[in-house]
């Protein structure tokens, strides 16, 4: 009886498409965070690109800061590898400076300066996307509006984020704990990375439901770090277990929810849903990240 029932159940489950959609994106190409001994930027990029291919992921955007390659020429092949793997490159400004410290004109100049690097990989850039460093979109509403107007006049669209668990926090402790061969600490990093990602699935979905009464197609912010590369297969499996299927970032951002504009200055920045909630003065949902423990681990 059960033997007959099980294949039928599997068939029924497989025919129901998962409800939530997610686009993964990577920031800070070609280099982010500290590296464990013996690991190069090229190793990190190859590992991520291999996982994306093996998992049949849709085109995955990498957001570039040209200055990183200028400061560390050995990391420059990362951009060529990303491009050759058929993954799109996009703009994260030249030097990753905080918009809070710049005028609108200076910020737009940092966007323009980065274009030369991007054009050297893709001469026929049709659609241009900008990811704000630190997810800071302007500390005053005047600056925010001036930058947006300048970006739209140049043909840019904003690569908004709606899912974020601050993945970057784990990369530096990973490099330290790996160097010390601290197995217990490495296990903690593994477990806390996945449990925090899972916690933020709940938090970010709840924000989406509070604002839009539904799941928007989410855009996940990640970084091109050594621990992110190591964890990517398990992270993809975690999202799949939680009912997500993967789409490209431009497909996600077609959703009308992404037309929402908080239209308010905010020095602290955040995801689109966080900024919209702050503009509406909604009480933040309870959430926790192990900032202190990660900062202190393996010192
Ligand atoms: Zn960044």
């Amino acid at each position: 009886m059960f033997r007959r029932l099980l294949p039928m159940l599997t068939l029924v489950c497989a025919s129901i498409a998962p409800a939530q959609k997610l686009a993964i994106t990577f920031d800070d190409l070609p280099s982010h965070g500290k590296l464990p001994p013996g690991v190069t930027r090229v190793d990190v990029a190859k590992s991520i690109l291999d996982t994306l291919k093996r998992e049949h992921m849709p085109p995955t955007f990498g957001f570039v800061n040209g200055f990183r390659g200028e400061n560390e020429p050995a990391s420059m092949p990362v951009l060529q590898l990303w491009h050759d793997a058929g993954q799109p490159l996009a703009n994260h400004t030249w030097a990753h400076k905080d918009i809070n410290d710049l005028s609108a004109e200076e910020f737009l100049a940092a966007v323009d300066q980065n274009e030369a690097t991007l054009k050297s990989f893709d001469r026929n850039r049709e659609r241009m996307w900008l990811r704000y460093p630190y997810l800071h979109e302007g500390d005053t509403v005047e600056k925010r509006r001036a930058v947006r107007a300048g970006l739209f006049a140049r043909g840019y669209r904003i690569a908004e984020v709606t899912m974020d668990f601050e993945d970057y926090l784990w990369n530096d402790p990973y490099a330290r704990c790996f160097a010390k061969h601290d197995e217990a600490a490495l296990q903690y990093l593994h477990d806390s990375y996945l449990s925090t990602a899972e916690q933020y699935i709940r938090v970010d979905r709840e924000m989406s439901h509070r604002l839009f009464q539904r799941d928007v197609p989410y855009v996940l912010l990640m970084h091109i770090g050594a621990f992110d590369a190591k964890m990517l297969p398990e992270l993809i499996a975690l999202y799949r277990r939680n009912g997500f299927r993967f789409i490209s970032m431009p497909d996600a951002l077609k959703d009308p929810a992404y037309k929402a504009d908080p239209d308010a200055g905010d020095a602290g920045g955040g995801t689109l849903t966080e900024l919209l909630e702050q503009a509406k003065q909604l009480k933040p949902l309870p959430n926790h990240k192990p900032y202190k423990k990660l900062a202190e681990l393996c010192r």
Side-chain angles (χ1 to χ4, degrees):
M1 177 68 190
F2 274 107
R3 269 193 209 158
R4 282 193 195 166
L5 200 59
L6 267 178
M8 274 175 59
L9 278 175
T10 315
L11 209 70
V12 169
C13 293
S15 66
I16 301 168
Q20 295 93 249
K21 299 172 191 161
L22 182 69
I24 296 183
T25 62
F26 286 91
D27 279 17
D28 298 1
L29 272 64
S31 63
H32 176 87
K34 297 218 163 40
L35 293 170
V39 177
T40 68
R41 302 289 178 199
V42 168
D43 295 335
V44 169
K46 278 186 177 165
S47 167
I48 289 173
L49 292 168
D50 285 351
T51 301
L52 295 175
K53 190 177 176 191
R54 198 171 54 243
E55 298 288 340
H56 306 289
M57 301 298 278
T60 302
F61 275 71
F63 290 88
V64 175
N65 304 116
F67 94 112
R68 295 180 192 275
E70 196 172 77
N71 288 354
E72 197 184 278
S75 72
M76 274 309 269
V78 166
L79 301 184
Q80 192 67 52
L81 283 168
W82 201 270
H83 178 69
D84 291 348
Q87 310 292 9
L89 296 167
N91 202 329
H92 195 34
T93 75
W94 171 253
H96 209 275
K97 284 191 181 152
D98 190 334
I99 195 171
N100 295 351
D101 302 325
L102 304 174
S103 67
E105 295 71 28
E106 286 167 338
F107 184 85
L108 290 166
V111 172
D112 292 340
Q113 190 182 358
N114 207 37
E115 268 301 318
T117 306
L118 292 165
K119 284 208 175 77
S120 69
F121 293 95
D122 185 359
R123 284 172 205 283
N124 309 309
R125 280 165 57 68
E126 301 162 1
R127 194 183 270 179
M128 305 197 297
W129 296 95
L130 185 277
R131 167 76 43 80
Y132 285 99
Y134 311 103
L135 301 185
H136 288 178
E137 301 192 359
D139 48 333
T140 66
V141 71
E142 293 77 18
K143 192 193 284 185
R144 179 190 171 86
R145 287 176 184 165
V147 167
R148 286 171 82 86
L151 291 173
F152 298 152
R154 286 161 171 77
Y156 276 99
R157 296 179 64 188
I158 295 165
E160 301 284 8
V161 172
T162 42
M163 191 158 287
D164 174 23
F165 64 97
E166 293 189 87
D167 65 299
Y168 65 91
L169 291 167
W170 278 260
N171 286 309
D172 288 6
Y174 173 60
R176 293 195 302 269
C177 298
F178 187 96
K180 288 189 168 182
H181 307 286
D182 186 336
E183 292 301 326
L186 289 168
Q187 187 65 45
Y188 168 76
L189 290 175
H190 168 275
D191 296 351
S192 59
Y193 184 95
L194 293 175
S195 64
T196 307
E198 193 155 35
Q199 180 196 163
Y200 276 81
I201 291 174
R202 292 192 295 276
V203 172
D204 288 326
R205 286 191 67 195
E206 198 170 332
M207 277 199 281
S208 175
H209 279 263
R210 289 212 298 197
L211 290 162
F212 300 108
Q213 293 73 51
R214 65 187 171 93
D215 283 296
V216 299
Y218 298 94
V219 177
L220 173 68
L221 167 60
M222 292 189 62
H223 295 79
I224 188 162
F227 198 58
D228 287 305
K230 181 181 165 59
M231 294 302 294
L232 187 58
E234 286 185 77
L235 187 69
I236 289 171
L238 174 86
Y239 284 110
R240 287 200 171 119
R241 273 202 308 282
N242 278 276
F244 285 83
R245 67 184 177 86
F246 297 97
I247 59 171
S248 73
M249 183 191 77
D251 280 349
L253 294 178
K254 275 179 200 152
D255 189 284
Y258 288 97
K259 291 201 170 71
D261 179 0
D263 194 34
D266 192 321
T271 64
L272 176 63
T273 36
E274 284 168 344
L275 292 174
L276 287 167
E277 290 215 344
Q278 280 158 27
K280 291 184 175 200
Q281 297 185 319
L282 293 178
K283 191 165 167 258
L285 294 164
N287 66 88
H288 169 73
K289 291 188 194 102
Y291 291 106
K292 192 163 179 282
K293 175 141 190 185
L294 293 173
E296 290 169 355
L297 206 63
C298 300
R299 292 279 181 197

